[in-house]
Amino acid sequence: METETGNPNYIMVPPPAVEPQPLAVASTHNYKRPIFSFPRRPPLRVTSEFDSESAVFFHKISCKLLDSLAKFKFSFNHNGKGDISEPQFSFISKHLSLHYDLEDHNALVKTSIDVGPRLQLTAAHDVKAQQGEVTMLANVADPGYSLELSTPVPSVGLPKATFRFPLGEVSLQEKEEEEAKNLLSVSGILKGQLLNGFGSAQYKDEELKLRYGYKDNEMSFLPILSLPSNALSFSFKRRFGPSDKLSYWYNCDSDYWSAVYKRTYGKDFKFKAGYDSEVRLGWASLWVGDEGGKAKAAPMQMKVQFMLQVPQDDIKSSVLMFRIKKRWDF
């Protein structure tokens, strides 16, 4: 075979492989560190909210400090004239929080200390009122058994004792009466499964409330009986599909009732309409963003609500209100 050289006896030999040489690494002996090292600025979160009914803006600025070990908040209100009111700042951490009112020149201090794996002490103090509260919480057994003792400072009597267990809780508290002082009052709640549903009995201020709740995938029913007044009320909810639900409440003692229809469009849009016979008012509301969620999860980090209120006795005085909540991250 004739090659490009013209000599048929010439054999082309490939050049020897060249091993890649490692790149030279710059010596670190001559590296100079900066004299000053500035920490990174913590991210800022700004939340603004406007309510057309009160015509007041609410602003809150917050940031996390010390690798999220603490949080700083500053909030204030201002109206359309630019007047600022209720300025407050807060410093919140796991074991200590401070809330200071710049307008009232007052501070509320709260602290929490874990004495052991089963004992926790918390305290709150109002500087201006010179009052506070001390609470001790002890987990006496697992699961769900605990004993809590709380007393105001300065103390005016025996501490309030609350014993919690999986089926409810019982509280003992000293109560002053005009005729008999140092009267010990008892309150508590007992709950559990009952007749394919859920039942509870709550006793407080010499009143006993008996509740029974039944709920499945389509409906729920909740009657409430108060003793000794024998006042009876019940609520009923019916779900027609994954996006439609009707709620109804009726008080048998006063004949007052209310009804609410709710329809959702995805997780970010919700329409609600209802009527309340006690105040004789009909209303309709449209939510953009999760009604019970935060603005962070809403589209464009903004929640909007529009509400139309129509009084039954004076339709001409109907009013349209709106509320906007927006968040910015810097």
Side-chain angles (χ1 to χ4, degrees):
M1 177 180 179
E2 187 175 356
T3 61
E4 294 179 356
T5 59
N7 187 354
N9 297 323
Y10 179 82
I11 300 176
M12 295 185 63
V13 180
V18 179
E19 296 182 359
Q21 298 296 326
L23 297 177
V25 179
S27 176
T28 57
H29 296 287
N30 298 327
Y31 175 74
K32 296 182 179 180
R33 295 183 179 181
I35 300 177
F36 299 101
S37 179
F38 296 96
R40 295 182 59 185
R41 177 184 62 82
L44 292 178
R45 178 188 305 170
V46 180
T47 304
S48 299
E49 186 173 353
F50 176 76
D51 190 343
S52 64
E53 185 177 10
S54 60
V56 173
F57 290 87
F58 172 77
H59 303 282
K60 181 178 68 175
I61 304 172
S62 62
C63 67
K64 295 182 179 180
L65 307 173
L66 305 175
D67 292 333
S68 300
L69 294 178
K71 180 184 292 186
F72 173 81
K73 293 183 180 180
F74 176 70
S75 63
F76 62 94
N77 299 336
H78 80 86
N79 54 22
K81 298 180 181 179
D83 299 329
I84 297 178
S85 62
E86 301 182 12
Q88 298 179 359
F89 75 82
S90 304
F91 177 82
I92 303 172
S93 64
K94 181 180 180 180
H95 299 290
L96 176 66
S97 64
L98 172 65
H99 305 271
Y100 186 77
D101 191 325
L102 296 173
E103 200 170 60
D104 199 26
H105 301 288
N106 187 26
L108 177 63
V109 183
K110 296 181 180 180
T111 182
S112 175
I113 302 175
D114 294 328
V115 180
R118 294 180 178 271
L119 184 61
Q120 183 184 56
L121 295 178
T122 59
H125 181 67
D126 190 317
V127 176
K128 193 171 185 179
Q130 292 297 306
Q131 294 179 353
E133 184 181 45
V134 177
T135 303
M136 181 190 71
L137 178 62
N139 296 317
V140 295
D142 290 329
Y145 293 89
S146 64
L147 176 64
E148 181 181 281
L149 299 177
S150 61
T151 179
V153 178
S155 178
V156 293
L158 296 176
K160 177 182 177 181
T162 302
F163 177 69
R164 297 184 177 91
F165 50 96
L167 296 180
E169 64 179 49
V170 177
S171 298
L172 300 176
Q173 184 176 12
E174 194 175 31
K175 186 177 181 181
E176 292 187 2
E177 298 286 348
E178 295 181 357
E179 299 179 355
K181 293 185 178 180
N182 301 329
L183 181 65
L184 193 63
S185 65
V186 181
S187 62
I189 182 172
L190 183 66
K191 54 189 177 180
Q193 296 292 329
L194 179 65
L195 298 176
N196 297 326
F198 186 85
S200 67
Q202 183 179 9
Y203 180 78
K204 185 178 181 180
D205 297 332
E206 300 182 356
E207 183 183 33
L208 177 63
K209 287 188 177 182
L210 302 176
R211 291 180 172 89
Y212 172 75
Y214 172 80
K215 182 178 181 181
D216 58 19
N217 295 331
E218 295 183 353
M219 61 165 287
S220 63
F221 179 69
L222 177 64
I224 302 176
L225 176 63
S226 299
L227 299 174
S229 63
N230 294 327
L232 176 65
S233 65
F234 67 88
S235 62
F236 173 80
K237 296 181 180 181
R238 178 72 165 87
R239 183 177 293 276
F240 301 98
S243 303
D244 299 87
K245 184 170 68 174
L246 177 65
S247 303
Y248 179 79
W249 174 84
Y250 180 73
N251 190 316
C252 302
D253 188 48
S254 62
D255 288 335
Y256 290 140
W257 62 274
S258 64
V260 177
Y261 170 75
K262 179 176 70 173
R263 180 175 178 83
T264 58
Y265 303 88
K267 67 176 183 178
D268 295 323
F269 297 92
K270 179 186 297 185
F271 171 77
K272 298 171 67 175
Y275 176 79
D276 192 331
S277 67
E278 183 176 3
V279 294
R280 301 174 64 86
L281 179 71
W283 57 271
S285 176
L286 177 63
W287 278 94
V288 179
D290 188 5
E291 180 180 359
K294 298 182 178 180
K296 177 182 179 180
M300 298 184 297
Q301 295 189 335
M302 182 173 63
K303 293 174 56 176
V304 183
Q305 180 196 16
F306 297 95
M307 173 173 282
L308 175 64
Q309 293 184 350
V310 183
Q312 181 178 349
D313 300 327
D314 188 6
I315 300 180
K316 294 183 179 180
S317 61
S318 302
V319 58
L320 177 63
M321 300 177 294
F322 65 93
R323 180 182 302 170
I324 300 176
K325 186 176 183 180
K326 171 65 177 174
R327 166 176 160 167
W328 294 270
D329 293 324
F330 301 96

